[in-house]
Amino acid sequence: MDRQDSIKVNVDGVRGFGLRNVSSHASISEMDDFDLSKLLDKPRLNIERKRSFDERSLSELSIGLTRGLENYESTYSPGRSVLDTPASSARNSFEPHPIVADAWEALRRSLVHFRDQPVGTIAAYDHASEEVLNYDQVFVRDFVPSALAFLMNGEPDIVKNFLLKTLQLQAWEKKIDRFKLGEGVMPASFKVLHDPVRKTDTIVADFGESAIGRVAPVDSGFWWIILLRAYTKSTGDLSLAEKPECQKGIKLIMTMCLSEGFDTFPTLLCADGCSMIDRRMGIYGYPIEIQALFFMSLRCALALLKHDEEGNEFIERIVKRLHALSYHMRSYFWLDFQQLNDIYRYKTEEYSHTAVNKFNVIPDSIPEWVFDFMPMRGGYFIGNVSPARMDFRWFALGNCIAILSCLATPEQASAIMDLIEERWEELVGEMPLKICYPAIESHEWRIVTGCDPKNTRWSYHNGGSWPVLLWFLTAACIKTGRIQIARRAIDLAESRLLKDGWPEYYDGTSGRYVGKQARKYQTWSIAGYLVSKMMLEDPSHLGMISLEVDKQMKPVMKRSSSWTC
Ligand code: GLC
């Protein structure tokens, strides 16, 4: 089938917009059991199909319960459906917003087929744009919201095809010039080439060897594991994850990120441009975006790995790493008013185990803006921590994933939401959501970005507003019981997205302008909106992308006493 044909079929397939009425999904209640102490002698996962959330997930979802009640926001309680929430009222009288149908149509138009099977969605379907670059490829990270939308709509096949196809690509030998990449690396993107004469389809993949700046995507492998769990959780079909090739795929990714070397931190050392922010933006080191995804994928791997001999070895290593990583992140990446004040008063040049200022951060390096930005109520995980360097910027994806994976404690999760509320103008403004805050300007921009004209202040990765981030925010809101925030954000997006042609990003301090070089009909902007709508409509979908609290994890210790444990 050539591309024209495949598009025709897709368009035909969207009559009625393919919006299925899926009221409930299987959920695997046992899958997220995260009792570290019992893990090694736990029997094989026992799968149970249930309607919607099981009681435990509902009660654990309600970490915002107390404040939710105080603040008139929606809450969840065991044994009931969602009470007094917009979702419940809408559930009985569900009338999709007019742009929902348009979004489904656009999403289906972006489908990519390999030998007649849908295997992904292209990054952008923007015919008006003069340069295609690689926006006609299936990006692993970009496909995640598409996959979630299809899963939520009861269409898991495309997700399964995608997972298997990318797994085959992982097995390729990957080289940049003469240098071979780790076996487990997953591609940033791939493209299906259709030969209409020979009637053959072939795939070309990019592991960083063609990417601008030659950056390898650290996030792709993590997203692959997270998506495999979402698929398994949503369908109840464990057979895919149990396939030997899938188990091997997980292990290859784990082997790469659990390997021991010179590191003194449990966080993962990364090059600049290794994630959604795939150009030089000063995120080299230990970026929060990657650390949060790393943590989440470790937990997902734990749920997916078989408990055979080899599996158990991995499980043991993962459990150890999770302990160290959560301790490190919760202690050293966390910033709130108190912590900021403590850092401001840090002594420097402390030698020995008793040091409070372990990384020798010089208080003078704290940027001015952060003193005004930090509210009395709220906090967040900062962008990066390494010797004498704290990147105080706020990053959306990392903080939302920290909530969804429970890297953030329940208190930290509420504080992150408090901060978003308190700093609404700065972080949401007129279009959810800023990718990071604040923008880098002038001399700092020259040094940090290498004078990147795409990443000028308040544009693109440098403080631009990305509609795709709406689904992360919505999921975090549901998890913390802050539905009202999600509704406000979705209303903002709805008022602009269709009218503006589903841009990739917006520019400006409040995200008012369609981005300078933003693609139109950017697939993840479209899918992200649909996922947000469906999750709000039926919050039980959240279980696909959210993990439950690990009751066994030790509470974080005070900085000054940490050296003893
Ligand atoms: C840009 C973005 C990247 C995205 C890709 C495809 O390179 O920076 O995050 O995956 O476009 O949309």
Side-chain angles (χ1 to χ4, degrees):
M1 181 191 286
D2 67 28
R3 187 172 291 183
Q4 286 305 318
D5 284 340
S6 71
I7 290 167
K8 190 161 156 283
V9 169
N10 298 338
V11 174
D12 288 344
V14 296
R15 261 184 220 127
F17 312 115
L19 187 62
R20 261 197 242 169
N21 207 356
V22 180
S23 59
S24 69
H25 282 273
S27 94
I28 306 165
S29 56
E30 280 78 10
M31 235 184 95
D32 296 325
D33 273 353
F34 191 48
D35 183 338
L36 294 178
S37 58
K38 291 191 200 130
L39 254 170
L40 296 178
D41 45 46
K42 212 176 142 194
R44 289 289 302 113
L45 302 171
N46 186 11
I47 305 305
E48 201 181 302
R49 278 181 165 269
K50 285 190 181 178
R51 271 184 62 84
S52 199
F53 273 130
D54 55 302
E55 294 205 348
R56 197 196 42 190
S57 4
L58 277 168
S59 61
E60 283 172 359
L61 250 179
S62 65
I63 52 179
L65 183 72
T66 330
R67 45 160 305 107
L69 282 173
E70 285 162 7
N71 292 334
Y72 63 79
E73 288 186 341
S74 53
T75 58
Y76 303 92
S77 74
R80 288 182 303 178
S81 176
V82 184
L83 267 191
D84 301 330
T85 65
S88 76
S89 54
R91 186 171 290 167
N92 298 327
S93 59
F94 178 44
E95 268 187 49
H97 192 280
I99 79 171
V100 166
D102 208 89
W104 272 109
E105 192 178 338
L107 179 61
R108 291 193 192 282
R109 215 168 31 225
S110 73
L111 281 173
V112 169
H113 288 78
F114 181 78
R115 300 191 185 145
D116 292 347
Q117 299 285 322
V119 286
T121 47
I122 51 168
Y125 194 83
D126 186 357
H127 286 314
S129 173
E130 49 314 333
E131 310 167 292
V132 176
L133 295 175
N134 49 358
Y135 282 89
D136 59 348
Q137 306 210 3
V138 180
F139 277 74
V140 170
R141 70 176 74 87
D142 293 46
F143 181 66
V144 173
S146 299
L148 295 176
F150 288 121
L151 288 174
M152 289 174 189
N153 201 39
E155 299 174 71
D157 286 350
I158 179 174
V159 182
K160 186 177 182 174
N161 296 341
F162 169 87
L163 288 165
L164 288 170
K165 190 45 69 199
T166 42
L167 190 61
Q168 281 173 5
L169 301 178
Q170 184 197 35
W172 285 13
E173 193 188 82
K174 292 146 283 209
K175 265 187 169 176
I176 295 196
D177 292 335
R178 294 171 193 185
F179 188 64
K180 198 163 154 265
L181 272 72
E183 253 192 291
V185 176
M186 283 279 183
S189 60
F190 66 85
K191 183 173 178 161
V192 179
L193 302 170
H194 302 277
D195 183 333
V197 180
R198 292 199 192 133
K199 299 221 180 318
T200 51
D201 288 351
T202 42
I203 286 202
V204 282
D206 181 7
F207 297 87
E209 73 274 31
S210 316
I212 294 170
R214 299 292 182 266
V215 279
V218 178
D219 62 340
S220 286
F222 297 153
W223 277 125
W224 185 86
I225 295 177
I226 293 166
L227 198 54
L228 179 60
R229 176 197 167 269
Y231 169 88
T232 312
K233 178 102 179 167
S234 151
T235 58
D237 168 21
L238 251 190
S239 67
L240 178 64
E242 281 186 339
K243 275 180 187 283
E245 57 265 41
C246 281
Q247 292 285 311
K248 185 173 171 212
I250 300 173
K251 287 173 194 162
L252 286 175
I253 297 166
M254 290 290 112
T255 302
M256 277 197 324
C257 56
L258 293 175
S259 66
E260 288 161 5
F262 290 102
D263 304 288
T264 49
F265 306 136
T267 34
L268 203 63
L269 186 58
C270 301
D272 221 337
C274 58
S275 65
M276 173 183 180
I277 299 176
D278 54 1
R279 302 160 77 94
R280 188 170 145 192
M281 262 307 292
I283 60 158
Y284 63 91
Y286 304 90
I288 179 65
E289 313 280 72
I290 292 295
Q291 311 313 321
L293 286 172
F294 178 32
F295 181 87
M296 185 152 189
S297 66
L298 287 174
R299 289 198 60 191
C300 291
L302 213 48
L304 296 168
L305 280 169
K306 281 176 135 175
H307 290 231
D308 50 24
E309 205 183 318
E310 202 192 14
N312 282 339
E313 279 170 26
F314 275 92
I315 288 169
E316 204 173 322
R317 289 169 69 194
I318 292 173
V319 168
K320 282 192 187 142
R321 190 62 172 259
L322 276 170
H323 268 301
L325 183 60
S326 56
Y327 175 77
H328 184 92
M329 297 299 298
R330 290 170 187 175
S331 310
Y332 308 126
F333 274 65
W334 182 252
L335 193 74
D336 55 16
F337 178 78
Q338 188 55 51
Q339 187 66 15
L340 179 58
N341 209 154
D342 291 350
I343 299 170
Y344 175 65
R345 290 166 51 79
Y346 265 172
K347 291 192 200 52
T348 56
E349 312 300 325
E350 294 175 293
Y351 181 77
S352 97
H353 287 298
T354 50
V356 175
N357 181 5
K358 288 184 183 169
F359 309 121
N360 202 35
V361 173
I362 318 291
D364 264 358
S365 71
I366 307 174
E368 279 299 315
W369 65 264
V370 78
F371 293 106
D372 297 330
F373 179 69
M374 182 59 76
M376 292 305 291
R377 197 176 71 109
Y380 64 105
F381 289 101
I382 62 170
N384 223 303
V385 176
S386 61
R389 177 182 176 231
M390 288 178 101
D391 178 350
F392 289 91
R393 279 177 294 170
W394 175 92
F395 288 84
L397 186 148
N399 276 282
C400 291
I401 291 287
I403 293 177
L404 296 176
S405 63
C406 295
L407 170 60
T409 63
E411 295 73 29
Q412 288 173 334
S414 306
I416 292 170
M417 299 312 298
D418 288 340
L419 182 119
I420 292 175
E421 243 179 348
E422 298 273 335
R423 293 290 172 257
W424 187 260
E425 290 309 317
E426 290 87 342
L427 303 179
V428 181
E430 296 183 33
M431 177 54 66
L433 181 67
K434 284 264 159 55
I435 194 166
C436 67
Y437 180 91
I440 295 172
E441 310 184 34
S442 316
H443 182 60
E444 201 186 1
W445 166 79
R446 270 179 223 114
I447 304 290
V448 171
T449 71
C451 302
D452 188 342
K454 217 172 162 184
N455 276 333
T456 49
R457 62 179 182 170
W458 306 114
S459 183
Y460 201 43
H461 300 138
N462 188 7
S465 302
W466 290 63
V468 61
L469 296 170
L470 180 66
W471 83 260
F472 292 90
L473 177 65
T474 305
C477 288
I478 298 174
K479 176 134 186 166
T480 49
R482 312 283 279 267
I483 304 293
Q484 212 55 37
I485 300 183
R487 292 193 68 200
R488 269 179 83 186
I490 291 176
D491 284 350
L492 282 170
E494 254 163 10
S495 68
R496 296 280 312 258
L497 285 182
L498 176 63
K499 202 163 55 139
D500 294 341
W502 305 99
E504 180 186 15
Y505 63 95
Y506 286 77
D507 285 357
T509 45
S510 57
R512 179 182 299 169
Y513 299 92
V514 173
K516 235 188 320 195
Q517 295 186 40
R519 304 284 135 163
K520 295 288 183 76
Y521 290 92
Q522 180 79 19
T523 306
W524 66 1
S525 301
I526 298 164
Y529 165 73
L530 286 172
V531 169
S532 307
K533 289 294 273 189
M534 284 190 279
M535 278 191 301
L536 209 54
E537 185 59 33
D538 178 358
S540 75
H541 289 313
L542 181 70
M544 274 185 223
I545 201 68
S546 157
L547 302 170
E548 287 158 17
V549 170
D550 156 37
K551 297 185 207 74
Q552 302 302 309
M553 285 246 196
K554 286 190 205 131
V556 75
M557 310 277 289
K558 280 262 169 286
R559 231 159 226 254
S560 46
S561 59
S562 62
W563 67 277
T564 47
C565 65

PDB file of all heavy atoms in Angstrom, residues 123 135 139 141-142 276 278 460-461 466 504 522 524, ligand 1:
ATOM      1  N   ALA A 123       5.203  13.119  13.584  1.00  0.00           N
ATOM      2  CA  ALA A 123       5.302  14.210  14.560  1.00  0.00           C
ATOM      3  C   ALA A 123       4.376  15.374  14.207  1.00  0.00           C
ATOM      4  O   ALA A 123       3.726  15.945  15.078  1.00  0.00           O
ATOM      5  CB  ALA A 123       6.745  14.678  14.670  1.00  0.00           C
ATOM      6  N   TYR A 135      10.037  16.029  10.901  1.00  0.00           N
ATOM      7  CA  TYR A 135       8.695  16.015  11.490  1.00  0.00           C
ATOM      8  C   TYR A 135       7.764  15.003  10.813  1.00  0.00           C
ATOM      9  O   TYR A 135       6.644  14.807  11.230  1.00  0.00           O
ATOM     10  CB  TYR A 135       8.074  17.415  11.447  1.00  0.00           C
ATOM     11  CG  TYR A 135       8.625  18.321  12.521  1.00  0.00           C
ATOM     12  CD1 TYR A 135       9.764  19.096  12.301  1.00  0.00           C
ATOM     13  CD2 TYR A 135       8.013  18.396  13.764  1.00  0.00           C
ATOM     14  CE1 TYR A 135      10.274  19.920  13.290  1.00  0.00           C
ATOM     15  CE2 TYR A 135       8.508  19.225  14.763  1.00  0.00           C
ATOM     16  CZ  TYR A 135       9.647  19.976  14.519  1.00  0.00           C
ATOM     17  OH  TYR A 135      10.141  20.792  15.508  1.00  0.00           O
ATOM     18  N   PHE A 139       8.248   9.814  16.202  1.00  0.00           N
ATOM     19  CA  PHE A 139       9.142   9.986  17.351  1.00  0.00           C
ATOM     20  C   PHE A 139       8.616   9.149  18.507  1.00  0.00           C
ATOM     21  O   PHE A 139       7.410   9.131  18.766  1.00  0.00           O
ATOM     22  CB  PHE A 139       9.194  11.460  17.791  1.00  0.00           C
ATOM     23  CG  PHE A 139      10.145  12.290  16.998  1.00  0.00           C
ATOM     24  CD1 PHE A 139       9.847  12.677  15.692  1.00  0.00           C
ATOM     25  CD2 PHE A 139      11.365  12.697  17.540  1.00  0.00           C
ATOM     26  CE1 PHE A 139      10.729  13.432  14.955  1.00  0.00           C
ATOM     27  CE2 PHE A 139      12.258  13.461  16.808  1.00  0.00           C
ATOM     28  CZ  PHE A 139      11.944  13.831  15.513  1.00  0.00           C
ATOM     29  N   ARG A 141       9.014   9.614  21.780  1.00  0.00           N
ATOM     30  CA  ARG A 141       8.389  10.422  22.843  1.00  0.00           C
ATOM     31  C   ARG A 141       7.080  11.036  22.368  1.00  0.00           C
ATOM     32  O   ARG A 141       6.121  11.144  23.136  1.00  0.00           O
ATOM     33  CB  ARG A 141       9.355  11.478  23.364  1.00  0.00           C
ATOM     34  CG  ARG A 141       9.674  12.604  22.431  1.00  0.00           C
ATOM     35  CD  ARG A 141      10.560  13.659  23.081  1.00  0.00           C
ATOM     36  NE  ARG A 141      11.931  13.226  23.230  1.00  0.00           N
ATOM     37  CZ  ARG A 141      12.870  13.378  22.266  1.00  0.00           C
ATOM     38  NH1 ARG A 141      12.545  13.936  21.109  1.00  0.00           N
ATOM     39  NH2 ARG A 141      14.106  12.960  22.462  1.00  0.00           N
ATOM     40  N   ASP A 142       7.039  11.446  21.092  1.00  0.00           N
ATOM     41  CA  ASP A 142       5.819  12.089  20.581  1.00  0.00           C
ATOM     42  C   ASP A 142       4.670  11.107  20.492  1.00  0.00           C
ATOM     43  O   ASP A 142       3.496  11.494  20.563  1.00  0.00           O
ATOM     44  CB  ASP A 142       6.050  12.664  19.176  1.00  0.00           C
ATOM     45  CG  ASP A 142       7.026  13.826  19.163  1.00  0.00           C
ATOM     46  OD1 ASP A 142       8.083  13.717  19.804  1.00  0.00           O
ATOM     47  OD2 ASP A 142       6.725  14.837  18.507  1.00  0.00           O
ATOM     48  N   MET A 276      13.197  15.554  25.541  1.00  0.00           N
ATOM     49  CA  MET A 276      12.289  16.392  24.755  1.00  0.00           C
ATOM     50  C   MET A 276      12.990  17.695  24.350  1.00  0.00           C
ATOM     51  O   MET A 276      12.800  18.207  23.256  1.00  0.00           O
ATOM     52  CB  MET A 276      11.063  16.705  25.619  1.00  0.00           C
ATOM     53  CG  MET A 276      10.118  17.693  25.007  1.00  0.00           C
ATOM     54  SD  MET A 276       8.793  18.037  26.166  1.00  0.00           S
ATOM     55  CE  MET A 276       7.826  19.205  25.221  1.00  0.00           C
ATOM     56  N   ASP A 278      15.782  18.753  22.899  1.00  0.00           N
ATOM     57  CA  ASP A 278      16.815  18.014  22.177  1.00  0.00           C
ATOM     58  C   ASP A 278      17.827  18.918  21.482  1.00  0.00           C
ATOM     59  O   ASP A 278      18.364  18.586  20.437  1.00  0.00           O
ATOM     60  CB  ASP A 278      16.179  17.006  21.202  1.00  0.00           C
ATOM     61  CG  ASP A 278      15.191  17.649  20.252  1.00  0.00           C
ATOM     62  OD1 ASP A 278      14.996  18.876  20.327  1.00  0.00           O
ATOM     63  OD2 ASP A 278      14.599  16.927  19.442  1.00  0.00           O
ATOM     64  N   TYR A 460      10.232  28.281  22.071  1.00  0.00           N
ATOM     65  CA  TYR A 460      10.622  26.883  21.899  1.00  0.00           C
ATOM     66  C   TYR A 460      11.052  26.254  23.231  1.00  0.00           C
ATOM     67  O   TYR A 460      10.293  26.289  24.185  1.00  0.00           O
ATOM     68  CB  TYR A 460      11.720  26.820  20.832  1.00  0.00           C
ATOM     69  CG  TYR A 460      11.914  25.476  20.158  1.00  0.00           C
ATOM     70  CD1 TYR A 460      10.834  24.691  19.756  1.00  0.00           C
ATOM     71  CD2 TYR A 460      13.203  25.004  19.905  1.00  0.00           C
ATOM     72  CE1 TYR A 460      11.051  23.462  19.121  1.00  0.00           C
ATOM     73  CE2 TYR A 460      13.418  23.785  19.260  1.00  0.00           C
ATOM     74  CZ  TYR A 460      12.343  23.027  18.884  1.00  0.00           C
ATOM     75  OH  TYR A 460      12.552  21.827  18.256  1.00  0.00           O
ATOM     76  N   HIS A 461      12.272  25.713  23.302  1.00  0.00           N
ATOM     77  CA  HIS A 461      12.659  25.072  24.561  1.00  0.00           C
ATOM     78  C   HIS A 461      13.040  26.067  25.644  1.00  0.00           C
ATOM     79  O   HIS A 461      13.221  25.678  26.796  1.00  0.00           O
ATOM     80  CB  HIS A 461      13.897  24.177  24.332  1.00  0.00           C
ATOM     81  CG  HIS A 461      13.693  23.085  23.336  1.00  0.00           C
ATOM     82  ND1 HIS A 461      14.637  22.750  22.401  1.00  0.00           N
ATOM     83  CD2 HIS A 461      12.647  22.246  23.131  1.00  0.00           C
ATOM     84  CE1 HIS A 461      14.200  21.743  21.659  1.00  0.00           C
ATOM     85  NE2 HIS A 461      12.993  21.419  22.082  1.00  0.00           N
ATOM     86  N   TRP A 466       4.152  24.666  25.654  1.00  0.00           N
ATOM     87  CA  TRP A 466       3.915  23.491  24.813  1.00  0.00           C
ATOM     88  C   TRP A 466       2.576  22.848  25.155  1.00  0.00           C
ATOM     89  O   TRP A 466       2.424  22.266  26.254  1.00  0.00           O
ATOM     90  CB  TRP A 466       5.041  22.479  25.021  1.00  0.00           C
ATOM     91  CG  TRP A 466       6.357  22.932  24.459  1.00  0.00           C
ATOM     92  CD1 TRP A 466       7.085  24.013  24.858  1.00  0.00           C
ATOM     93  CD2 TRP A 466       7.083  22.333  23.369  1.00  0.00           C
ATOM     94  NE1 TRP A 466       8.236  24.126  24.101  1.00  0.00           N
ATOM     95  CE2 TRP A 466       8.261  23.102  23.179  1.00  0.00           C
ATOM     96  CE3 TRP A 466       6.867  21.229  22.543  1.00  0.00           C
ATOM     97  CZ2 TRP A 466       9.208  22.794  22.193  1.00  0.00           C
ATOM     98  CZ3 TRP A 466       7.817  20.923  21.570  1.00  0.00           C
ATOM     99  CH2 TRP A 466       8.965  21.700  21.388  1.00  0.00           C
ATOM    100  N   GLU A 504       2.781  23.463  17.626  1.00  0.00           N
ATOM    101  CA  GLU A 504       3.748  22.700  18.427  1.00  0.00           C
ATOM    102  C   GLU A 504       4.046  23.429  19.739  1.00  0.00           C
ATOM    103  O   GLU A 504       4.124  22.826  20.795  1.00  0.00           O
ATOM    104  CB  GLU A 504       5.018  22.565  17.585  1.00  0.00           C
ATOM    105  CG  GLU A 504       6.155  21.819  18.210  1.00  0.00           C
ATOM    106  CD  GLU A 504       7.409  21.877  17.329  1.00  0.00           C
ATOM    107  OE1 GLU A 504       7.464  22.713  16.405  1.00  0.00           O
ATOM    108  OE2 GLU A 504       8.325  21.078  17.582  1.00  0.00           O
ATOM    109  N   GLN A 522       0.636  19.624  14.956  1.00  0.00           N
ATOM    110  CA  GLN A 522       1.648  18.855  15.677  1.00  0.00           C
ATOM    111  C   GLN A 522       0.904  17.745  16.423  1.00  0.00           C
ATOM    112  O   GLN A 522       0.034  18.016  17.255  1.00  0.00           O
ATOM    113  CB  GLN A 522       2.382  19.784  16.644  1.00  0.00           C
ATOM    114  CG  GLN A 522       3.453  19.119  17.459  1.00  0.00           C
ATOM    115  CD  GLN A 522       4.759  18.915  16.699  1.00  0.00           C
ATOM    116  OE1 GLN A 522       4.999  19.579  15.677  1.00  0.00           O
ATOM    117  NE2 GLN A 522       5.570  17.995  17.162  1.00  0.00           N
ATOM    118  N   TRP A 524       1.461  15.571  18.829  1.00  0.00           N
ATOM    119  CA  TRP A 524       1.353  15.412  20.284  1.00  0.00           C
ATOM    120  C   TRP A 524       0.570  16.534  20.959  1.00  0.00           C
ATOM    121  O   TRP A 524       0.076  16.353  22.063  1.00  0.00           O
ATOM    122  CB  TRP A 524       2.676  15.092  20.947  1.00  0.00           C
ATOM    123  CG  TRP A 524       3.785  16.112  20.952  1.00  0.00           C
ATOM    124  CD1 TRP A 524       3.782  17.368  20.429  1.00  0.00           C
ATOM    125  CD2 TRP A 524       5.080  15.920  21.558  1.00  0.00           C
ATOM    126  NE1 TRP A 524       4.989  17.967  20.658  1.00  0.00           N
ATOM    127  CE2 TRP A 524       5.804  17.118  21.353  1.00  0.00           C
ATOM    128  CE3 TRP A 524       5.689  14.889  22.240  1.00  0.00           C
ATOM    129  CZ2 TRP A 524       7.118  17.284  21.809  1.00  0.00           C
ATOM    130  CZ3 TRP A 524       6.992  15.064  22.706  1.00  0.00           C
ATOM    131  CH2 TRP A 524       7.697  16.242  22.480  1.00  0.00           C
TER     132      TRP A 524
HETATM  133  C1  GLC B   1      11.511  18.746  18.296  1.00  0.00           C
HETATM  134  C2  GLC B   1      11.296  18.666  19.793  1.00  0.00           C
HETATM  135  C3  GLC B   1      11.272  17.233  20.257  1.00  0.00           C
HETATM  136  C4  GLC B   1      10.229  16.456  19.485  1.00  0.00           C
HETATM  137  C5  GLC B   1      10.443  16.607  17.990  1.00  0.00           C
HETATM  138  C6  GLC B   1       9.323  16.008  17.184  1.00  0.00           C
HETATM  139  O1  GLC B   1      12.769  18.262  17.950  1.00  0.00           O
HETATM  140  O2  GLC B   1      12.314  19.365  20.438  1.00  0.00           O
HETATM  141  O3  GLC B   1      11.001  17.194  21.630  1.00  0.00           O
HETATM  142  O4  GLC B   1      10.250  15.126  19.856  1.00  0.00           O
HETATM  143  O5  GLC B   1      10.523  17.981  17.634  1.00  0.00           O
HETATM  144  O6  GLC B   1       8.118  16.633  17.476  1.00  0.00           O
END
